[in-house]
Amino acid sequence: MYVKDRLRRSMMFVPGNNPGMIRDAHIYGADSIMFDLEDSVAYTEKDTARFLVYNALKTLHFGSKETVVRINDLSSGLGIKDLEAVVRAGVQVVRLPKTDSAQDVIDCEREIERIERESGIPVGTTGMMAAIESANGVLHAAEIAHASDRLIGIALGAEDYVTDLKTTRSDGIELLFARCMILNAARSAGIAALDTVYSDVNNEEGFIAEATLIKKLGFDGKSVINPRQIEPLHHVFMPSEKDLNKARAIMDAIAEANARGSGVASLKGKMIDKPVVTRAKRLLDLYEAGSKIDEVEEI
């Protein structure tokens, strides 16, 4: 069963045709493991990858990690086969690629519900996320984000998107509009916003700069393609001690005001309003959730 709201700082792609990586996927520390049946798998290996991922989901234990499968586009003729396998195997979340409209989400959900019913799986067990990879998809981001209650988030797929724009990836300026559209669409629907991969695994400085940018924008996390990217990504998303101390002080001031029976709280002479409290609580929740997961990984 999928969880709507959970920590998703990192979502690691694992090629569906690589048995060794599939077997070891849970040891690297990513919050979510995303088995890929689409771009990383050659057409001649699609059936093999589907079989491997199906058996992995059925027989392997991935601990507290969220399991996600990126299926092939439904229009490719492979997507339905992918859904038949991974939904029956019990995947938590299906990632739909190349989502251009709300109808794409609705069509995928209809097939998932059919498979759940045929398999005796409670309807609604399987979550979804939608990857937006085109100018059309970006312009329809809000409709996509609201298309299904199963959606846990929407994600940016940058390579196809910049190709559609007739440009290439550079310092990130070409992605700013898409990122802002996707982020605001996700927030309006109350779901996660997930950023695209950073493909140069040897450029840690560039990766950290991009991760810092998307955190500042408000994204929940980022897809990664190499285990080496996980630790620096989590470090970027970890709140600083200064921010944590301020958040704790805010929550203490609120608790003190409540104990006095006062509806007004202040800190260092400044009124504490609701948005400030919401941000402080979210920061502390993020720290606690991240700490718990990282502690489990170290044991």
Side-chain angles (χ1 to χ4, degrees), residues 19-230:
M21 284 195 70
I22 292 173
R23 182 196 62 219
D24 296 336
H26 67 290
I27 70 173
Y28 298 114
D31 295 328
S32 302
I33 303 166
M34 183 155 50
F35 302 112
D36 188 25
L37 299 178
E38 197 208 14
D39 284 349
S40 68
V41 178
Y43 185 81
T44 54
E45 297 186 27
K46 296 289 188 183
D47 291 342
T48 300
R50 188 184 307 115
F51 179 77
L52 285 171
V53 170
Y54 170 83
N55 279 287
L57 291 169
K58 290 288 285 185
T59 62
L60 299 181
H61 179 58
F62 297 104
S64 62
K65 309 304 180 187
E66 179 179 53
T67 57
V68 183
V69 173
R70 179 168 72 168
I71 64 168
N72 289 279
D73 183 9
L74 295 189
S75 66
S76 69
L78 297 168
I80 300 297
K81 292 180 181 179
D82 294 341
L83 286 177
E84 290 280 359
V86 302
V87 173
R88 294 176 193 274
V91 71
Q92 290 171 295
V93 177
V94 168
R95 172 162 162 150
L96 179 64
K98 299 176 175 58
T99 311
D100 281 345
S101 67
Q103 190 61 48
D104 291 337
V105 176
I106 293 166
D107 291 344
C108 186
E109 180 177 36
R110 183 178 62 245
E111 295 299 332
I112 289 173
E113 181 173 335
R114 173 186 62 78
I115 296 164
E116 286 175 340
R117 291 185 186 280
E118 292 175 358
S119 307
I121 299 170
V123 171
T125 297
T126 313
M128 296 174 61
M129 64 180 295
I132 294 175
E133 307 181 48
S134 68
N136 200 34
V138 167
L139 293 176
H140 290 100
E143 298 160 32
I144 290 168
H146 288 267
S148 170
D149 288 338
R150 291 180 188 254
L151 284 172
I152 58 94
I154 53 177
L156 172 62
E159 297 304 330
D160 283 352
Y161 174 67
V162 296
T163 300
D164 199 26
L165 291 188
K166 298 183 179 179
T167 186
T168 57
R169 292 186 68 172
S170 59
D171 60 356
I173 189 65
E174 71 284 347
L175 298 178
L176 183 59
F177 177 74
R179 282 174 167 149
C180 291
M181 287 285 284
I182 286 169
L183 177 64
N184 280 275
R187 293 294 172 257
S188 74
I191 59 178
L194 299 159
D195 193 47
T196 188
V197 300
Y198 187 86
S199 56
D200 187 355
V201 297
N202 293 317
N203 185 358
E204 184 171 315
E205 183 180 349
F207 174 76
I208 291 172
E210 184 165 278
T212 302
L213 170 65
I214 62 109
K215 183 198 173 189
K216 286 180 179 178
L217 287 174
F219 277 76
D220 296 279
K222 186 173 183 62
S223 297
V224 298
I225 56 173
N226 190 291
R228 284 160 37 202
Q229 296 176 321
I230 296 168

Side-chain angles (χ1 to χ4, degrees), residues 241-260:
E241 195 61 36
K242 178 182 177 181
D243 289 340
L244 286 170
N245 288 336
K246 182 178 179 180
R248 292 179 183 120
I250 289 169
M251 298 310 294
D252 288 345
I254 290 294
E256 183 182 338
N258 290 338
R260 296 195 314 265

